[in-house]
Amino acid sequence: MFIARGGYTTQSSDRSPSIGYQSKVRVVDRYKVIGFISSGTYGRVYKAVGRNGQAGEFAIKKFKPDKEGEQIQYTGISQSAVREMALCSELSHVNVIRLVEIILEGKCIFMVFEYAEHDLLQIIHHHTQPTRHPIPPATVKSIMFQLLNGCQYLHSNWVLHRDLKPANIMVTSSGEVKIGDLGLARLFNKPLHSLFSGDKVVVTIWYRAPELLLGSRHYTPAIDMWAVGCIFAELLSLRPIFKGEEAKMDSKKTVPFQRNQMQKIVEIMGLPTKEKWPNLVSMPEYLQLSTLSANQHAKTGGSSLEKWYYSTINSHSPTSAPSSNASLGAEGYKLLSALLEYDPEKRLTAQTALQHPFFSTGDKVSGNCFEGMKMEYPHRRVSQDDNDIRTSSLPGTKRSGLPDDTRPTKRMKE
Amino acid sequence: MAANYWESTQRKHWQFTRQQLDELRKNLEDEDQNLVQMYPLPQVRHLSIYFNQQIGRLGKRLGVRQQAMATAQVYIRRFYSKVEIRRTNPYLVIATAVYLACKMEECPHHIRLVVSEGRALWPDFFSSDTSKLGECEFFLISEMSSQMIVHQPYRTLSALQATLSLTQEEAALSWSIINDHYMTDLPLLFAPHIIAIMAILLALVLRPTATGIQSASSSASTIASAAQGALSSAGQLKAGGAESKVGGERSEVQRLSNWLAESNIDIEAIVDCTQEIISFYEFQEQYNEKLTREQINRFVKARGLDK
């Protein structure tokens, strides 16, 4: 893979040769920006095409440098950017978004990725318009298989994604699923510090695993697998299965117990029990569990996930089309419940999930999740009002209608 | 990839033959002939010893763990395989490599702290302007093509400690031999597991009861021949030869050669690697810190690279 070229140049001035870093490659010489995709706390993402005959389209993620006054200064690259750059440079898998190159230019970092026309958030959203209609079962199956395949690759390489959610799962126009946004990803094989220290809160709350909600400091691949389970549920029901409200950090910067989120999980999954999850009692927030209001059913440790599952796959399309997701059947439930297993040690790993009968029963799983589909999903919205990747949009300059904290490709739902 | 050395950028882009490495360095010097003539420098090994010492000093002030310092040294070696040293301020490059390696090895330090410690260590050669270090970070990452994940021999050592029933002392000595190899070109020449096995072999041959690695240089040839003995016995076993007899040596060495014989590990590479580190220990005696420091400081000052 070709990555950034750069070098120091000595501007020849006799008295003091001032040394300055200058990129050997200029972004605008290599790419033509054709639109603005999204912005976030990290910076902005642009859509681009190559100027040097590079095939395909690209998404260029421009990291915002920290601003000190009016003049942009080198302030040191954030640790998360360093991680993302290093990890993306190593990773190579069909179900993980491909890094094309990194250009370090003008105090900014430009990460050039292959472009993906869709993402799961957008696809799920499309199925709620104008009325709810289910994502075809073959598509769900293919998406899940590819997603798990990407996770298996990451986990076998000791990479935790830590922020899996529909908005971060890209889908190309040829139906290939690509795990994207490794901005929070970390290696878990040799943490010099506990993986917990440093970044206190990880994973969008709706996809956050129960052990994290209960204060666990041990990050394991099981955390990603819970999120995969939540995504599976969302592909079926078209809304987040555990849509809690985030408790904000208080002024002392202590991490609050996410009561509402845990409550949402308990409402469907029942209360976790130490019989089924032996380590439960050693969770820092264990005592909080007794304060949750469980319904009669949940109090006894009963889960209503099965009920949730069957009513979901049978409920769609009140009008003409038959409720197609019913074909996902009992194996779909088994996979879902094994992913949404409370005990992280018993939760399905990506490796075992790929062997699940869900994928071997019924139609063969396609590597193209759109196979056999007649319709085409709407393309990613690309705005034209910011095409200047270099100067016009000085970082920190807010622009109308685009709050600066939106994550890439995230749009308002419902 | 991250866990798999064979798929890593380290193996694909940062493992060279000696010839390739010599060529890279020669090309750099050829491009800047005037500079090279104007500012003579000691051999790469001696520069590396100097860098190792300076990293150690900075690391100590910052409380940096050995693994991050090891990664920093690999960064520096990669960087100077692509950039002529006389075009840079080595003190800035050292501090930047430590700063970056700490982020990669999950023990980050604030840029201001790194700069203030650098300034305290090298007041005449180090700017208090943090943006200089930030800029150098761009340079470093760019020359490394953002390939910042380094596979270290330490992990192989930990994994083999049980397999080969190494004692604490043997493991500790192996560990310190691994620390030493960062002063050589070995990290750019061999896979981390080869280096780890070389270190274990040497540690077993040297015996931790001896006065340590410093005694190695005096008896380099003895060690070399003992190591060779173990390796050739492994080679014979592998070739299906007679039961090996590594005469008079400890059973650990025997166990290692048996283990090697059963593995697919490249014994030739270990021989090569062993010779390199032994010759390093010999050369270490000729190292002249004062001369090395003066020669580095001279071009930094004369060229205004500290500004």
Side-chain angles (χ1 to χ4, degrees):
Chain A
M1 185 191 309
F2 165 80
I3 315 260
R5 307 277 303 150
Y8 260 22
T9 50
T10 309
Q11 282 119 38
S12 49
S13 134
D14 289 341
R15 297 214 176 128
S16 76
S18 76
I19 308 285
Y21 168 78
Q22 218 139 54
S23 177
K24 290 172 189 163
V25 169
R26 281 159 38 111
V27 175
V28 291
D29 292 342
R30 281 187 59 76
Y31 298 95
K32 178 177 186 287
V33 173
I34 56 176
F36 165 81
I37 297 174
S38 64
S39 75
T41 44
Y42 55 85
R44 293 161 172 280
V45 181
Y46 296 85
K47 182 177 178 179
V49 291
R51 285 190 197 273
N52 312 125
Q54 307 100 306
E57 295 169 312
F58 303 93
I60 304 182
K61 185 170 178 176
K62 177 189 182 184
F63 284 87
K64 175 163 69 180
D66 286 341
K67 224 174 65 163
E68 277 189 3
E70 282 306 294
Q71 189 88 35
I72 301 168
Q73 287 282 349
Y74 287 108
T75 53
I77 302 169
S78 74
Q79 196 185 8
S80 60
V82 167
R83 279 189 201 125
E84 186 173 2
M85 292 163 76
L87 283 173
C88 290
S89 299
E90 298 286 325
L91 297 169
S92 168
H93 188 268
V94 61
N95 297 123
V96 175
I97 203 89
R98 183 173 62 90
L99 176 74
V100 177
E101 63 177 318
I102 299 177
I103 297 173
L104 297 147
E105 182 194 350
K107 304 187 175 85
C108 293
I109 299 165
F110 301 90
M111 291 184 78
V112 183
F113 293 96
E114 64 180 320
Y115 178 75
E117 193 60 77
H118 313 281
D119 59 68
L120 290 190
L121 184 64
Q122 178 206 61
I123 287 172
I124 290 165
H125 179 70
H126 182 74
H127 280 269
T128 63
Q129 304 293 325
T131 55
R132 308 180 84 80
H133 53 292
I135 302 174
T139 302
V140 171
K141 223 178 227 194
S142 171
I143 288 171
M144 283 305 293
F145 189 84
Q146 296 188 60
L147 174 56
L148 285 164
N149 206 24
C151 279
Q152 196 273 330
Y153 171 78
L154 292 179
H155 292 169
S156 67
N157 282 293
W158 303 89
V159 176
L160 294 179
H161 188 282
R162 305 201 305 170
D163 195 22
L164 290 175
K165 56 182 178 184
N168 286 345
I169 316 296
M170 309 296 150
V171 185
T172 65
S173 47
S174 58
E176 282 179 339
V177 174
K178 311 267 181 187
I179 297 175
D181 198 349
L182 279 91
L184 282 175
R186 282 183 68 169
L187 287 170
F188 61 97
N189 55 346
K190 50 166 183 180
L192 289 187
H193 283 190
S194 143
L195 277 178
F196 189 79
S197 66
D199 19 36
K200 293 270 185 258
V201 179
V202 153
V203 180
T204 316
I205 188 151
W206 299 339
Y207 308 92
R208 198 175 294 172
E211 62 271 27
L212 285 182
L213 296 170
L214 293 173
S216 167
R217 284 158 185 262
H218 298 289
Y219 280 92
T220 64
I223 279 159
D224 285 343
M225 299 314 292
W226 177 272
V228 170
C230 295
I231 292 168
F232 184 22
E234 195 163 334
L235 289 171
L236 300 175
S237 76
L238 307 176
R239 41 169 84 89
I241 179 170
F242 309 123
K243 197 175 173 184
E245 279 163 35
E246 181 153 11
K248 296 288 176 224
M249 227 175 259
D250 64 20
S251 52
K252 290 173 203 148
K253 291 212 169 172
T254 50
V255 183
F257 174 58
Q258 297 291 349
R259 177 179 312 280
N260 186 264
Q261 182 62 31
M262 196 67 215
Q263 176 71 49
K264 297 285 176 187
I265 295 174
V266 166
E267 277 164 20
I268 293 177
M269 305 303 300
L271 276 169
T273 61
K274 58 177 183 290
E275 287 72 33
K276 289 183 189 158
W277 180 3
N279 278 333
L280 179 63
V281 289
S282 56
M283 291 286 146
E285 306 278 10
Y286 172 62
L287 294 174
Q288 296 275 7
L289 275 181
S290 59
T291 68
L292 292 179
S293 54
N295 59 36
Q296 258 338 95
H297 183 57
K299 259 187 190 135
T300 56
S303 161
S304 53
L305 184 67
E306 190 163 8
K307 206 176 121 213
W308 180 94
Y309 175 79
Y310 284 106
S311 69
T312 298
I313 63 167
N314 293 316
S315 74
H316 283 306
S317 14
T319 48
S320 54
S323 50
S324 54
N325 265 329
S327 71
L328 292 173
E331 293 303 342
Y333 167 68
K334 287 182 196 157
L335 175 62
L336 181 64
S337 63
L339 289 168
L340 296 179
E341 161 66 51
Y342 267 127
D343 186 347
E345 287 177 30
K346 294 186 193 134
R347 201 171 298 149
L348 224 48
T349 63
Q351 179 74 59
T352 36
L354 286 169
Q355 312 294 322
H356 198 278
F358 176 68
F359 298 111
S360 48
T361 51
D363 295 336
K364 195 170 170 287
V365 180
S366 171
N368 168 8
C369 71
F370 300 142
E371 194 168 284
M373 280 181 98
K374 291 186 189 75
M375 52 86 69
E376 196 187 335
Y377 288 103
H379 287 192
R380 191 178 292 286
R381 283 219 311 260
V382 170
S383 98
Q384 296 301 321
D385 38 308
D386 173 17
N387 277 4
D388 191 345
I389 197 165
R390 304 207 62 187
T391 49
S392 82
S393 58
L394 273 176
T397 320
K398 285 205 178 183
R399 293 165 52 257
S400 59
L402 290 160
D404 225 24
D405 57 354
T406 28
R407 298 290 281 167
T409 72
K410 187 170 177 178
R411 279 179 294 282
M412 294 307 289
K413 280 184 72 187
E414 293 172 341
Chain B
M1 168 45 235
N4 183 351
Y5 164 76
W6 302 102
E7 294 295 319
S8 68
T9 54
Q10 178 168 340
R11 193 181 82 89
K12 288 180 191 156
H13 302 291
W14 298 102
Q15 220 83 93
F16 306 98
T17 63
R18 273 203 190 78
Q19 201 180 356
Q20 287 171 328
L21 199 54
D22 290 345
E23 216 155 281
L24 279 174
R25 287 176 178 151
K26 188 174 175 299
N27 289 345
L28 287 177
E29 294 205 335
D30 287 350
E31 278 170 30
D32 277 305
Q33 283 181 19
N34 284 342
L35 270 183
V36 173
Q37 277 165 14
M38 245 160 68
Y39 305 106
L41 282 177
Q43 53 168 302
V44 178
R45 269 180 182 155
H46 290 176
L47 289 174
S48 304
I49 297 173
Y50 186 70
F51 292 163
N52 175 274
Q53 291 171 334
Q54 301 308 311
I55 285 177
R57 293 172 71 203
L58 180 61
K60 201 171 171 192
R61 294 183 77 107
L62 291 166
V64 175
R65 291 184 53 166
Q66 172 57 34
Q67 202 145 317
M69 293 199 278
T71 297
Q73 289 177 83
V74 174
Y75 288 174
I76 292 169
R77 197 168 293 277
R78 288 180 177 184
F79 181 72
Y80 284 136
S81 74
K82 301 186 84 181
V83 178
E84 167 52 42
I85 183 170
R86 296 165 183 85
R87 291 186 153 272
T88 70
N89 174 356
Y91 298 103
L92 182 61
V93 172
I94 286 170
T96 307
V98 169
Y99 171 64
L100 183 60
C102 285
K103 284 189 279 195
M104 268 320 294
E105 301 292 341
E106 303 294 346
C107 53
H109 285 289
H110 199 281
I111 190 167
R112 266 187 242 119
L113 182 66
V114 178
V115 167
S116 74
E117 294 298 344
R119 179 116 181 108
L121 274 177
W122 312 295
D124 297 333
F125 302 92
F126 206 87
S127 164
S128 57
D129 182 357
T130 53
S131 72
K132 292 285 174 203
L133 195 134
E135 182 177 32
C136 189
E137 184 179 32
F138 267 51
F139 192 11
L140 187 59
I141 293 176
S142 179
E143 291 300 335
M144 294 198 296
S145 307
S146 305
Q147 289 151 0
M148 295 178 274
I149 293 177
V150 175
H151 293 253
Q152 310 276 17
Y154 299 113
R155 179 147 352 127
T156 316
L157 172 60
S158 311
L160 286 181
Q161 193 175 347
T163 314
L164 298 170
S165 330
L166 302 181
T167 64
Q168 282 297 323
E169 293 75 27
E170 287 160 349
L173 185 54
S174 309
W175 182 278
S176 72
I177 294 170
I178 293 176
N179 291 352
D180 290 342
H181 101 286
Y182 290 104
M183 289 181 274
T184 71
D185 281 332
L186 288 173
L188 295 188
L189 297 173
F190 294 101
H193 65 278
I194 297 288
I195 290 158
I197 293 165
M198 173 277 289
I200 294 169
L201 175 68
L202 271 197
L204 293 180
V205 170
L206 285 169
R207 305 192 186 189
T209 46
T211 44
I213 211 69
Q214 291 310 323
S215 68
S217 43
S218 55
S219 56
S221 58
T222 326
I223 294 152
S225 65
Q228 291 281 8
L231 290 170
S232 67
S233 106
Q236 277 164 23
L237 274 180
K238 202 170 199 169
E243 192 67 11
S244 84
K245 293 181 208 73
V246 185
E249 274 169 45
R250 302 205 346 190
S251 59
E252 280 97 334
V253 181
Q254 181 76 62
R255 200 177 306 130
L256 176 63
S257 51
N258 289 346
W259 180 82
L260 275 175
E262 282 167 24
S263 72
N264 287 320
I265 293 163
D266 182 355
I267 291 177
E268 276 301 301
I270 300 174
V271 173
D272 210 358
C273 197
T274 311
Q275 282 164 349
E276 180 78 23
I277 194 99
I278 288 169
S279 105
F280 166 76
Y281 285 132
E282 286 174 323
F283 262 95
Q284 206 177 15
E285 300 205 320
Q286 299 162 19
Y287 170 62
N288 181 334
E289 183 184 344
K290 186 164 171 288
L291 177 71
T292 308
R293 182 174 56 236
E294 282 170 0
Q295 288 187 323
I296 290 173
N297 293 356
R298 186 166 156 258
F299 78 76
V300 173
K301 274 293 170 203
R303 305 199 68 225
L305 297 165
D306 53 335
K307 295 294 184 305

